[in-house]
Amino acid sequence: MKNIGVLALQGDFHAHIKALENAGAHPLEVRTAQDLAACDGLIIPGGESTTMVKLIGLENLLEPLRAFGQSKPIFGTCAGAILLAQEVASPAQPSLALMDIAVERNAYGRQIDSRVAKIDADGEQMDAVFIRAPIIRRVGPDVKVLASYQGNPVWVEQGRHMATTFHPELGTNPHIHRRFAAKV
């Protein structure tokens, strides 16, 4: 069984660990480059992207994460999607730039505007939990859109990488985590 790490510096990493277990995968908490080296794939969870960037810097994980993403799959949810994006706006911030997407931070609104919406995701109906979610404003030619909400991509895939602007780990449908586990 492949080891799928969950970046455990900040954010909702515990829910991803449970979702991976429910999907039949073997999750590991990742806090250091040594932890990352034991993984075959990685999830970067939701949380606060500015805080995550600072913590990644403090733990000297920026370059190890970029190198990991050059050969192994990464799945980013919400703040994780921001960290995978090539372009980040509102405001601009550093990212891993591993996916050819442009995102606008907190574009669905403030915390009070958070919502659960029904989406058709890869042929399945599911609840999508949006919490201060980014909007994907641009996708590159090699990016496949797997689900949209209000006309905007909310689940995308490019090669080995995936990103959602919502939180699939907070729903009951294991489809997205199973798909990522299969990529690993």
Side-chain angles (χ1 to χ4, degrees):
M1 184 181 298
K2 301 285 185 166
N3 292 326
I4 300 178
V6 180
L7 190 63
L9 300 178
Q10 191 261 346
D12 194 11
F13 57 90
H14 289 294
H16 277 290
I17 288 169
K18 287 185 191 281
L20 284 168
E21 288 169 346
N22 290 339
H26 182 254
L28 301 173
E29 291 185 15
V30 172
R31 291 186 177 85
T32 66
Q34 185 176 8
D35 296 338
L36 186 62
C39 298
D40 302 297
L42 179 72
I43 293 178
I44 302 176
E48 210 295 309
S49 62
T50 304
T51 301
M52 281 188 176
V53 167
K54 287 179 183 175
L55 292 171
I56 286 168
L58 287 171
E59 296 298 329
N60 296 314
L61 278 170
L62 188 61
E63 289 312 314
L65 286 169
R66 278 194 181 124
F68 184 91
Q70 295 302 318
S71 62
K72 296 181 180 178
I74 298 178
F75 172 27
T77 64
C78 199
I82 293 168
L83 292 177
L84 289 176
Q86 191 171 63
E87 301 168 38
V88 180
S90 295
Q93 75 175 45
S95 72
L96 299 171
L98 292 170
M99 292 186 75
D100 189 10
I101 58 176
V103 299
E104 179 182 347
R105 296 175 62 215
N106 303 321
Y108 284 105
R110 300 176 350 179
Q111 190 78 23
I112 196 165
D113 301 309
S114 298
R115 69 197 77 161
V116 178
K118 295 272 187 216
I119 63 167
D120 178 40
D122 197 30
E124 287 194 33
Q125 277 286 104
M126 66 175 54
D127 289 333
V129 180
F130 293 92
I131 304 170
R132 291 180 55 213
I135 289 180
I136 297 172
R137 296 292 188 192
R138 180 193 61 75
V139 297
D142 296 328
V143 177
K144 182 178 179 184
V145 176
L146 300 174
S148 296
Y149 172 68
Q150 295 182 339
N152 296 300
V154 295
W155 180 18
V156 294
E157 182 176 64
Q158 181 181 3
R160 70 182 72 81
H161 304 308
M162 284 186 357
T164 60
T165 60
F166 60 96
H167 292 268
E169 75 280 8
L170 298 179
T172 58
N173 190 325
H175 177 72
I176 293 175
H177 284 84
R178 280 191 186 135
R179 183 176 178 118
F180 182 67
K183 291 173 87 59
V184 174

